[in-house]
Each structure stands twice: as C-alpha cells, then as structure tokens.
Amino acid sequence: HIAPEYDYSIDSYVAYNKPLAITHWLQTAKVTEDVIIVIDPDCALISPITSPVVEGKPQANQGYYSFRDPKSIEMQIAQHYCKGICKHFDPIAVPVVVHRKDLEKIAPLWLKYTEDIRRDRKGPNKWPIEWNDNRWTVNRIEWVAEMFGYLLAAAHLDIRHEIVDLQMVPSVHKKLNLRVPILHFHVRVETSDHRFWNKGNHGAGQKFPWPVPAGTDPVTTRLLTALHDAYEAVGVTDRTSKNKWVSGYTGVWSNPDNEAPEDLPHLPAPPLQIIPIPPPAAKRVLLIAPPTPQEAPDA
C-alpha cells in the first residue's frame, strides 16, 4: 500500500507519515488482519510477536515518561490538548500491538491530535518553552507530537493499553531477553573496545564494528550480528545521512528560539510500508513501520 505524503508546505514535520499513512491504509484498503503491530523504522524484529491482543485491549511498551506527577510537563501537554475529555493517559510508546477495529477508530484522531499539537509550534498559542527543551523534559514536543497524538487519541476513546516489554534498547539494556521481540536502536551503541555505531551515520548499513569484540554486552552483540547478517544478505545500500529535512532541522534541534535561560543543565535528547509477518495461531497479523526517506536527528 502506498499512502500520500502530508502537505509539507504546511508543516515539514515528517512524522505525520505514521498517522496519515495508517489512516489512509485502513480507510482505503481491504484490511483483513486482526492484529496490527506499529513500530518505528529503527526497530529490528528478532523473535515472533505472539501477544494475545483482542479488541479493546491493545498492548504497548512503556514510554520513557509517566503521568504520575500531576504537574509534569507530560501531564500539562496531555491535559491541555485533551481539554477535559480524557479520563486517563497511558505512558506508552512503540511498539504497539492493537486490534484493527481499535486502530480504525484511533488513527483519524491520532492524526487530528498530532496536527493540533504541531499547529501550536508558532502563533498566539505557542508551546511554553519548557515543553520543547531537553533541559526540562526528554519529550520535546516538537518531535514527539505524533507520540502524544496517539496516546491522546486512545485516551479520547477510553481505550486503555496493557504495558508490556516489547523492546530492548541496545546500550541501555545489557541483558538479552529472548522473550522480548524487538531491538529499538534509537541511541548510539558502544562495543567493549569503545567503538561506536549510530543508525544516522553515513553508510550505517555497512560500516559497523565487526567482528563484535569479546566483552560487548549481549544486546549490542545481537544488534551488530543482525546488521552483519543483513549486510551479507543485501550488500551495500545507498542510505545516507545527507538529508534536506535533517540538515535544515538539526540547527534548531535543542531550542528553536533560544529562549531558555542558561543556568539549567543540558540533558541529551532521548530519543507506511506494510510488511507481512507470519501470523501466530489463527489470527492474521500485520507489522507496520512508517517509511522514512527522511529521518529525525538521532538521540
């Protein structure tokens, strides 16, 4: 399925591709799969996903935030945009495993809330600077607008997610858990001999530490092995870090208007093509990763 691009003359935010493409696909294609898995393009599937998801009970990974503090920036954002409609907010991130009928309801609202959030990047309702600076939050609203768009859409519909371990992050997680199906390589990884690999490097698909030195943690080793296997199978790719959107965006990544005071410590930024996968049991499952001819700056 090929979905239309967002009108980037209105807003150059490339992450519109996820809610827009999924909405278009569900509304125009004859989708028969019962369960849909939404991931990011920097996710590697290393084992089958067999989550027993039914309508009304999706699953998702724990995000790197929570809504426990009623004064947190995340809670401020959620309450501001849901405007009293939502009774709860799930602190979730990809991967998301969701029934098709739930996603059919979530997807249009996901796009709507993403647009609502992004609209306030300028103008009289512009975000408070605290919402968009890593000195206050790891969730810079300028980039995670679609993540909030999804959780707000689900909250709007009163759809709750069970939070389960669906991913490991190389360099963050050190112990390989074979029951966790996805490696999410959104941060730089380091080997035991202090060599580095980052998804955004030029030629990242063929330039990586190999062989993996002894003493490198098992999760990083698994990722680098997967990269090596992919390179052996596919060969040299044309993926390049040179990218018009990124080159025009990284210069304002930390703080678009340089409005924040200087006395706060700087925190590092955190971090649809349709891919059929074998269905578990009697259900049909589809794995969705948004296409990224353009990517965001790396964490």
Side-chain angles (χ1 to χ4, degrees), residues 172-282:
V172 175
H173 298 98
K174 305 293 185 180
K175 185 177 180 180
L176 188 65
N177 184 343
L178 297 179
R179 293 176 296 179
V180 177
I182 286 173
L183 296 179
H184 192 174
F185 46 95
H186 63 82
V187 296
R188 184 180 71 169
V189 301
E190 180 180 4
T191 60
S192 60
D193 60 354
H194 307 297
R195 285 183 290 163
F196 299 95
W197 180 86
N198 190 303
K199 65 176 184 179
N201 293 343
H202 181 79
Q206 50 265 359
K207 297 178 182 178
F208 46 84
W210 190 263
V212 182
T216 300
D217 71 85
V219 179
T220 297
T221 298
R222 182 66 181 87
L223 172 64
L224 294 175
T225 301
L227 285 168
H228 178 264
D229 292 347
Y231 175 66
E232 289 290 304
V234 177
V236 175
T237 64
D238 292 328
R239 174 70 178 93
T240 174
S241 60
K242 293 181 179 179
N243 176 303
K244 181 178 180 181
W245 185 82
V246 170
S247 64
Y249 191 69
T250 51
V252 295
W253 178 249
S254 294
N255 184 352
D257 297 306
N258 296 313
E259 296 171 332
E262 300 293 331
D263 56 350
L264 292 175
H266 180 70
L267 299 176
L272 252 194
Q273 48 193 341
I274 310 303
I275 311 167
I277 65 173

Side-chain angles (χ1 to χ4, degrees), residues 133-172:
D133 194 291
N134 290 136
R135 286 171 283 193
W136 282 278
T137 177
V138 297
N139 287 304
R140 294 187 62 255
I141 193 61
E142 185 169 24
W143 179 241
V144 300
E146 69 81 16
M147 181 187 77
F148 272 91
Y150 178 91
L151 72 88
L152 289 170
H156 184 121
L157 296 165
D158 200 26
I159 296 175
R160 300 302 307 264
H161 292 71
E162 178 188 3
I163 294 177
V164 297
D165 289 331
L166 292 171
Q167 69 174 22
M168 293 173 286
V169 179
S171 81
V172 175

